[in-house]
Amino acid sequence: MADCIRLLPEIVANQIKAGEVVESPSSVVKEMMENAIDAGATEVTVNFVNGGRDLVQIIDNGRGMSPTDARMAFECHATSKIKSLDDIYALHTFGFRGEALASIAAVSQVELLTRQEDDEIGTRTLINGGEFVSQAPVATPVGSQFLVKNLFYNTPARRKFINSKESSLTADIKREFRRVALCHPEVSCSLMSNGAPLYNLPSSTLVERVVGVMGNATRRNLLEVDVETSIASIKGFVGRPETARNNSSEQYMFVNGRFFRSPYLNKAVTKAYEKLIPERAFPSFFLYLTVDAERVDVNVHAQKTEVKFADNEAIWQIVNAAVRETLAKTGVVPLIDFDNEEVVEIPIAQPSTAIYSEPRATTRDYYNPFEESTEERVPKGGALKRSAIEFEEYTPFELEASNLGESEFEYYESSDAAEQSLALESEAQEQPRSVTVMGGRYAVATFMSKVLLVDLQRAHERVLYNHYAASLQSGHSVSQQLLFPELLTLTEEEYDLLEEYAVDFAALGFDIKARGDNTVEVFGIPADVSAEQLDRAVYDLLQSLKLPQSAVEMHRNALAQTLAHSAAVGAVRFTQEEAERVATQIFAANESYTPAGKRIITSLGVSDIKNMLE
């Protein structure tokens, strides 16, 4: 029987291998950008045509290559990064396999222009389908310029599996570009599609790079993470709980200068947000881990997006504790005393060590959550009146004579209850008298023999919500034109949402024009929103739309609630005139709570005051 096992030709092997390293044009962008940064580039420009199928061009100002290196770079396993096996586990660059260029060249037509600083003239090298074509001198700047043309042109079966929709290929390229750009804020990075700019990110600080990539509105929602331990250090940012999204598009984790995926560590972050965000919401995070290179293996996957840590469980605990510490510092969750300015060494729990102890739960056997009566049940043999503090749960609108239930005043003596009822009946049409401002935010008024305490900011929010809800229902609202139009840069997802809900934004009073490239120009804003609040208001509205909405009315309610809150938070102090106006509006609206369920008004009656003074 004839022998049937034979070695594949090198060109065929490289074409097969390309499937592991190069899945689509976005893989080319990733590999080539990383090579440019490894070459010491401080400026990297990426341009692609037709979603990258026809051309991916990467230009950098790195060290460049000699003519010999320019040719050797396309050979399989060619690398400048290792000399022995030990070097594999101590890499501080983007990998060592030496397969990227060889794999890319095997399934495309590649042109390389490169020059080193000490050379007077550069080199032009052509590779077609993995085969060397030519090499010649050429005048070119210091650095390298790769032109990868007609990807998978010689493997038709694979080319037809490239997503035929250009917008999807563009989205994939932008994703890979963001991952590299976020990891290297010191490198100026630009991205162009068919010659049109998509990103132009100058060299900057880490926070400026995150804002540049994700949009200006991200800045105010970033909480800084900065923790040093003996095992790993973690720097970066996490998002405020209220900005959690319905997808993981703003979750980035890096180790030793490279992006990696880790559902295991993502869970460590999400666990820190437990009970702070909805169950299916995703918090934003941009976390940069630094670990001893010998304690992490970055070569698990051909595309190097998966890693293995020698101290996997310890890293999980450190990430979780670091995020919890950041949330605690901002007052989101209580944790420990942070007055100590020394570096915090986050402990790593051992199997026998408890992270925390649960407080002992207590119960009230006599409590009935379905009981409609306001009288508080007590154990048999006891009889208590409700305290004045508990009485604050009722608003004047709940105490109107026409709305009194048979048990509203059962906890008072019978004569007191009758007296109160008669008084309320006679004063049912009574309106507030004087309104007194306290602390710039609160007001005191009298109404129907009650002393009313009003949170003016919450009252203002409720009035605005009612107004915006009506505007969305009717389809129009009052808009104030800006003296100078504002230009806002959004993420791709936010830009698409703004286009999708353009009618609703117009109904709220926004006059917005889309300019393309994820930027919009704002000419007018709702009458109750200031120019200073514009950026925040638009961002908050778009975030509310990212959460799942099952019906038109639900997303309109979310828009009205979000805009009302954004507009109201700017009113820090109320003048006497403003307080009287807002108080009158909320009394007329007959509302007791904000759209989010927070109390607006509380009241004290004669009996309450008497009890408090006894």
Side-chain angles (χ1 to χ4, degrees), residues 335-349:
L335 192 62
I336 55 175
D337 182 9
F338 295 99
D339 291 337
N340 186 359
E341 296 181 355
E342 298 297 323
V343 174
V344 178
E345 176 71 17
I346 297 179
I348 300 165

Side-chain angles (χ1 to χ4, degrees), residues 281-302:
F282 297 82
S284 300
F285 59 80
F286 308 85
L287 296 178
Y288 299 76
L289 283 66
T290 302
V291 181
D292 186 341
E294 296 183 357
R295 306 291 293 174
V296 57
D297 183 0
V298 299
N299 294 295
V300 177
H301 190 273

Side-chain angles (χ1 to χ4, degrees), residues 241-281:
E242 60 268 25
T243 64
R245 308 157 68 90
N246 66 339
N247 58 60
S248 59
S249 61
E250 284 192 2
Q251 294 189 337
Y252 293 87
M253 197 170 290
F254 307 88
V255 60
N256 295 351
R258 99 174 40 254
F259 170 84
F260 73 100
R261 298 189 187 95
S262 175
Y264 179 68
L265 291 186
N266 285 5
K267 183 68 175 177
V269 177
T270 305
K271 187 73 173 176
Y273 283 83
E274 194 170 38
K275 298 182 180 179
L276 298 176
I277 60 176
E279 185 176 348
R280 288 180 291 275

Side-chain angles (χ1 to χ4, degrees), residues 121-427:
I121 196 165
T123 301
R124 179 175 180 262
T125 305
L126 297 179
I127 306 288
N128 283 350
E131 296 183 350
F132 175 78
V133 175
S134 65
Q135 188 175 66
V138 67
T140 186
V142 173
S144 298
Q145 177 180 174
F146 284 89
L147 294 95
V148 180
K149 306 172 186 177
N150 302 318
L151 188 63
F152 296 128
Y153 81 101
N154 55 349
T155 54
R158 180 165 292 160
R159 185 175 176 86
K160 73 178 182 180
F161 282 104
I162 297 181
N163 195 316
S164 59
K165 193 173 181 180
E166 183 177 348
S167 60
S168 296
L169 293 174
T170 298
D172 291 342
I173 290 175
K174 290 168 70 174
R175 183 192 65 235
E176 295 297 344
F177 175 87
R178 287 194 295 264
R179 289 173 176 175
V180 178
L182 281 170
C183 202
H184 295 276
E186 75 283 359
V187 178
S188 174
C189 298
S190 300
L191 179 65
M192 295 186 293
S193 173
N194 302 316
L198 297 179
Y199 287 99
N200 186 15
L201 306 172
S203 174
S204 62
T205 62
L206 182 57
V207 66
E208 292 294 340
R209 176 55 55 90
V210 172
V211 171
V213 171
M214 307 312 299
N216 295 333
T218 306
R219 183 189 302 273
R220 60 174 56 89
N221 297 313
L222 297 177
L223 307 175
E224 187 176 8
V225 178
D226 190 355
V227 167
E228 296 277 350
T229 76
S230 56
I231 294 178
S233 68
I234 303 178
K235 298 182 183 297
F237 308 94
V238 294
R240 296 182 183 277
E242 60 268 25
T243 64
R245 308 157 68 90
N246 66 339
N247 58 60
S248 59
S249 61
E250 284 192 2
Q251 294 189 337
Y252 293 87
M253 197 170 290
F254 307 88
V255 60
N256 295 351
R258 99 174 40 254
F259 170 84
F260 73 100
R261 298 189 187 95
S262 175
Y264 179 68
L265 291 186
N266 285 5
K267 183 68 175 177
V269 177
T270 305
K271 187 73 173 176
Y273 283 83
E274 194 170 38
K275 298 182 180 179
L276 298 176
I277 60 176
E279 185 176 348
R280 288 180 291 275
F282 297 82
S284 300
F285 59 80
F286 308 85
L287 296 178
Y288 299 76
L289 283 66
T290 302
V291 181
D292 186 341
E294 296 183 357
R295 306 291 293 174
V296 57
D297 183 0
V298 299
N299 294 295
V300 177
H301 190 273
Q303 295 181 2
K304 299 181 283 292
T305 55
E306 299 175 15
V307 301
K308 282 186 178 179
F309 294 99
D311 307 294
N312 212 33
E313 293 184 8
I315 296 292
W316 192 100
Q317 294 174 24
I318 293 171
V319 169
N320 177 261
V323 176
R324 281 185 53 80
E325 175 184 310
T326 295
L327 295 175
K329 284 181 177 178
T330 61
V332 176
V333 292
L335 192 62
I336 55 175
D337 182 9
F338 295 99
D339 291 337
N340 186 359
E341 296 181 355
E342 298 297 323
V343 174
V344 178
E345 176 71 17
I346 297 179
I348 300 165
Q350 301 301 324
S352 60
T353 304
I355 304 293
Y356 67 93
S357 60
E358 290 278 358
R360 189 162 60 93
T362 59
T363 62
R364 291 191 296 168
D365 295 336
Y366 53 85
Y367 175 67
N368 181 1
F370 304 102
E371 179 66 65
E372 293 183 356
S373 171
T374 59
E375 180 181 358
E376 183 174 30
R377 299 285 182 180
V378 296
K380 195 170 184 178
L384 297 176
K385 291 183 179 180
R386 293 192 60 156
S387 68
I389 299 301
E390 292 172 313
F391 181 66
E392 289 179 357
E393 295 179 4
Y394 291 88
T395 71
F397 312 114
E398 294 169 325
L399 297 176
E400 292 181 12
S402 59
N403 295 329
L404 288 177
E406 61 179 3
S407 63
E408 284 289 319
F409 289 96
E410 286 180 356
Y411 54 89
Y412 287 105
E413 296 177 6
S414 59
S415 59
D416 286 345
E419 189 176 319
Q420 281 279 350
S421 180
L422 289 173
L424 286 174
E425 286 178 0
S426 64
E427 300 177 64

Side-chain angles (χ1 to χ4, degrees), residues 397-588:
F397 312 114
E398 294 169 325
L399 297 176
E400 292 181 12
S402 59
N403 295 329
L404 288 177
E406 61 179 3
S407 63
E408 284 289 319
F409 289 96
E410 286 180 356
Y411 54 89
Y412 287 105
E413 296 177 6
S414 59
S415 59
D416 286 345
E419 189 176 319
Q420 281 279 350
S421 180
L422 289 173
L424 286 174
E425 286 178 0
S426 64
E427 300 177 64
Q429 303 301 319
E430 184 180 350
Q431 297 296 319
R433 292 184 288 275
S434 61
V435 174
T436 303
V437 182
M438 297 183 64
R441 173 171 172 173
Y442 304 97
V444 179
T446 55
F447 183 71
M448 294 165 44
S449 301
K450 301 290 180 183
V451 176
L452 307 181
L453 306 179
V454 185
D455 186 319
L456 294 171
Q457 187 179 87
R458 292 180 180 177
H460 185 45
E461 180 178 344
R462 182 70 212 200
V463 170
L464 290 176
Y465 168 78
N466 293 346
H467 167 69
Y468 293 138
S471 297
L472 287 167
Q473 188 69 29
S474 64
H476 59 83
S477 181
V478 178
S479 177
Q480 57 175 329
Q481 293 296 301
L482 297 173
L483 184 61
F484 301 103
E486 289 279 346
L487 194 65
L488 301 181
T489 301
L490 309 174
T491 64
E492 183 177 9
E493 181 186 12
E494 291 166 349
Y495 186 82
D496 292 341
L497 281 172
L498 194 56
E499 285 190 318
E500 181 179 353
Y501 293 96
V503 173
D504 290 325
F505 272 79
L508 289 171
F510 287 96
D511 181 4
I512 300 178
K513 179 180 179 181
R515 294 173 56 97
D517 300 332
N518 296 342
T519 61
V520 296
E521 196 166 10
V522 183
F523 295 91
I525 58 178
D528 298 292
V529 176
S530 67
E532 291 75 19
Q533 294 172 304
L534 167 61
D535 201 3
R536 174 67 188 223
V538 171
Y539 177 82
D540 288 345
L541 287 170
L542 293 172
Q543 296 306 308
S544 72
L545 291 172
K546 291 176 183 178
L547 296 176
Q549 306 290 342
S550 60
V552 172
E553 290 305 318
M554 289 185 66
H555 86 245
R556 286 181 174 174
N557 176 70
L559 286 172
Q561 181 176 337
T562 301
L563 185 57
H565 181 72
S566 294
V569 294
V572 179
R573 298 184 65 85
F574 290 79
T575 65
Q576 180 65 34
E577 182 180 355
E578 292 170 338
E580 291 176 356
R581 174 176 54 81
V582 171
T584 301
Q585 289 174 329
I586 199 63
F587 292 144

